[in-house]
Amino acid sequence: MLKTLKKLALATVFLTSVGHAAAMPNDPAPDFTGIEKWLNSEPLTMEQLRGKVVLVDFWTYTCINCIHTIPYVKEWNEKYKDKGLVVVGVHTPEFPFERLTSNVEQAIKRFGITYPVAQDNRYATWKAYNNLYWPAFYLIGKDGRITYTHFGEGRYKETEAEIQRLLAQ
């Protein structure tokens, strides 16, 4: 009986994960879709951003792991925005109170975020990327294809090296 339960549990984990892979390198970058409000920017599209290197950062303002990544994202934005990098924060709420634009605006101000932030309250862009994580980085090359992904904290040197590589192309 215990063996059967273990097999059933493993099968459930496997089956619920099939078909839920996040967008991967070499995939065309999905467009921003279903965005409720753009903060710090007019609405952006991937077509408008073609020819630029784009860092799409899925985050939410109460996630501690997201908060830990913000200084790095802000630094990359400042360091490389004049060299062709566009950072777009996609704020996707985990909790209902994170859907309030006024709360997101306060968080942007508190964290000193100056790059564009798309408020993805209905998870439309999240779903377009098949994203499952906060935070999640998707680096998009000048050709509009995803070149690099990273989920969670860390790998800051590797992420910055990929930004530099893409900008040099």
Side-chain angles (χ1 to χ4, degrees), residues 19-158:
H20 293 286
M24 297 299 290
N26 295 319
D27 287 350
D31 211 344
F32 304 107
T33 185
I35 300 303
E36 185 166 309
K37 180 138 178 92
W38 282 88
L39 305 164
N40 293 341
S41 173
E42 294 298 316
L44 297 172
T45 66
M46 282 300 167
E47 186 166 327
Q48 284 175 302
L49 297 173
R50 185 71 48 97
K52 303 273 189 189
V53 173
V54 181
L55 172 60
V56 175
D57 172 23
F58 285 92
W59 70 293
T60 188
Y61 71 86
T62 64
C63 163
I64 191 64
N65 303 102
C66 298
I67 292 167
H68 290 164
T69 65
I70 289 171
Y72 296 93
V73 177
K74 285 173 43 180
E75 180 183 331
W76 298 329
N77 180 61
E78 286 304 311
K79 211 169 174 182
Y80 301 112
K81 68 182 177 184
D82 294 333
K83 296 176 180 166
L85 176 68
V86 177
V87 174
V88 179
V90 178
H91 184 274
T92 310
E94 186 175 7
F95 303 107
F97 62 87
E98 293 173 325
R99 286 178 163 75
L100 296 174
T101 299
S102 60
N103 288 349
V104 179
E105 288 171 328
Q106 287 175 0
I108 288 170
K109 185 176 180 181
R110 183 173 63 251
F111 295 128
I113 294 171
T114 59
Y115 48 83
V117 174
Q119 196 174 347
D120 188 25
N121 281 351
R122 294 186 304 267
Y123 285 61
T125 297
W126 174 283
K127 289 174 186 170
Y129 278 78
N130 290 319
N131 190 50
L132 299 172
Y133 311 101
W134 290 282
F137 295 155
Y138 294 84
L139 264 174
I140 298 147
K142 296 174 185 177
D143 63 354
R145 299 185 87 69
I146 297 169
T147 64
Y148 172 90
T149 59
H150 179 67
F151 310 113
E153 293 183 59
R155 297 191 55 115
Y156 302 114
K157 288 180 183 177
E158 293 87 344

